[in-house]
Amino acid sequence: MYGGDRMFKIGEFSKLTQVSIRMLHYYNQKGLLKPAEIDAWTGYRMYSIEQIPVLSRIVYLRDSGFNVMEIASILNNDNQEFIIEQLDKKYVEIKENIQVEQAKLEKITLAKKELFLEDNNMHYTISIKEVPSYYVLSLRKIIPNYYAEATLWLEFTTLVAELGIKISDYSFSIYHDKEYKEEDVDVELCVVPIIETEKAIDNHLFRYTEAVDMMACTMVYGDFSNIAGVYLSFARWLQENDQYEMYGPNRQIVHRGPWNEDNPNNYLTELQIPIKQKR
């Protein structure tokens, strides 16, 4: 029971808090904010002034993207570390959603430029090279989608810095899924250390990557959104060179990216697809 003598009818409480009666009913039904008491004679739902901060927190969390279950979990937990953890998780989730929506905007812009203009598609030069085995510090995880790879790289580089591991400028990603996946992507990040060591750190592992006798490679200039179109060139190349077939995980090397280039138009990414002679 809430303390204090002054109680407000639901209409008064709605005006004072700038929250509609409909939403107050909804929060009551979901168990987030029940009336302080219900008048036995009139059946009026009565609210206390002490409930205003609780309602303010509900509205704030709702406007920050939390759903009812998440809000209830936070309201029922007084542990500050838990609340901060939930806020951080929601921050990352929203940031990844923004990246997804931003990619959609870029695709719309690209479609406006290239719709019905098939001849404007860029054609990339595909070359074959041998890729040796590299001794790397590796982090392999299942991440929500490809957009989350940037967050994984941030986690990886932060750990490398904390451990004081000296690394070279050479790093790459390996995509282990056998097909393209929209979610739960199996990605391995690899950086080449200056000094070899056999020490393993949690799920970060020092290992030798697989050598590849024939890797079909091409360079992609510009924003990462350009990468999707490169696979059409790979498909055309494989059609023209039908003695080859794809096998094994693809790799991606970002030679120029957000960490060393301010202008996305100047990014430089190398795509590598393992191939072999058909039997």
Side-chain angles (χ1 to χ4, degrees):
M1 184 65 64
Y2 292 88
D5 296 327
R6 181 60 192 269
M7 305 295 288
F8 300 97
K9 294 178 182 178
I10 191 169
E12 296 172 328
F13 194 70
S14 172
K15 288 182 179 180
L16 291 171
T17 59
Q18 296 291 281
V19 175
S20 70
I21 292 177
R22 180 182 65 83
M23 290 307 299
L24 290 173
H25 284 315
Y26 177 74
Y27 296 146
N28 178 24
Q29 293 170 359
K30 297 299 181 180
L32 296 179
L33 186 73
K34 293 185 174 295
E37 59 183 56
I38 298 178
D39 189 283
W41 295 98
T42 64
Y44 290 154
R45 293 176 173 86
M46 308 298 291
Y47 290 83
S48 164
I49 193 170
E50 295 177 5
Q51 292 181 282
I52 293 178
V54 180
L55 180 58
S56 296
R57 177 174 286 194
I58 292 171
V59 172
Y60 182 85
L61 292 171
R62 178 201 67 192
D63 292 346
S64 299
F66 288 87
N67 60 39
V68 169
M69 291 184 62
E70 292 169 334
I71 294 173
S73 176
I74 292 174
L75 292 179
N76 294 328
N77 197 313
D78 294 329
N79 187 302
Q80 188 173 7
E81 291 184 2
F82 172 81
I83 295 173
I84 291 174
E85 179 184 344
Q86 298 309 304
L87 292 172
D88 287 341
K89 286 174 62 177
K90 182 60 65 173
Y91 180 90
V92 172
E93 178 185 322
I94 292 173
K95 196 169 183 179
E96 290 175 355
N97 288 339
I98 289 173
Q99 291 175 326
V100 171
E101 297 304 317
Q102 185 62 42
K104 292 178 182 177
L105 291 176
E106 291 170 357
K107 287 183 178 180
I108 290 173
T109 301
L110 188 63
K112 287 170 66 178
K113 291 180 180 178
E114 298 189 357
L115 193 61
F116 307 123
L117 301 178
E118 205 169 298
D119 292 339
N120 284 351
N121 289 333
M122 294 185 65
H123 295 268
Y124 295 86
T125 301
I126 310 295
S127 61
I128 299 177
K129 68 180 180 182
E130 181 179 352
V131 174
S133 172
Y134 291 100
Y135 183 80
V136 300
L137 173 60
S138 157
L139 169 60
R140 181 173 175 177
K141 276 190 176 182
I142 304 295
I143 58 177
N145 50 53
Y146 288 103
Y147 299 101
E149 185 178 340
T151 304
L152 191 60
W153 270 112
L154 180 60
E155 173 190 331
F156 197 23
T157 53
T158 300
L159 177 80
V160 169
E162 289 175 351
L163 295 174
I165 299 173
K166 294 183 179 180
I167 59 174
S168 68
D169 293 331
Y170 193 73
S171 61
F172 53 94
S173 305
I174 302 177
Y175 304 99
H176 289 279
D177 294 306
K178 293 181 179 180
E179 74 281 350
Y180 178 82
K181 297 178 67 177
E182 295 181 351
E183 55 185 22
D184 297 331
V185 184
D186 187 356
V187 177
E188 180 180 8
L189 309 183
C190 300
V191 296
V192 178
I194 299 293
I195 301 174
E196 293 190 8
T197 175
E198 297 301 325
K199 182 180 179 182
I201 308 158
D202 296 333
N203 55 342
H204 304 74
L205 176 70
F206 288 95
R207 77 175 187 94
Y208 287 95
T209 59
E210 296 72 23
V212 179
D213 293 334
M214 291 190 295
M215 191 80 87
C217 307
T218 191
M219 293 292 187
V220 186
Y221 293 90
D223 191 81
F224 293 140
S225 60
N226 295 340
I227 291 175
V230 178
Y231 287 97
L232 176 59
S233 292
F234 271 121
R236 288 171 175 163
W237 185 87
L238 286 167
Q239 183 178 17
E240 295 169 359
N241 299 269
D242 61 357
Q243 70 272 30
Y244 298 117
E245 62 182 355
M246 298 186 297
Y247 84 100
N250 298 351
R251 299 186 187 184
Q252 179 175 296
I253 307 168
V254 181
H255 297 285
R256 290 200 303 268
W259 57 88
N260 59 4
E261 176 56 58
D262 294 331
N263 187 351
N265 292 327
N266 295 329
Y267 288 175
L268 178 60
T269 307
E270 180 178 352
L271 296 186
Q272 299 181 338
I273 297 181
I275 58 173
K276 63 181 180 181
Q277 293 274 359
K278 288 182 178 179
R279 293 181 178 179

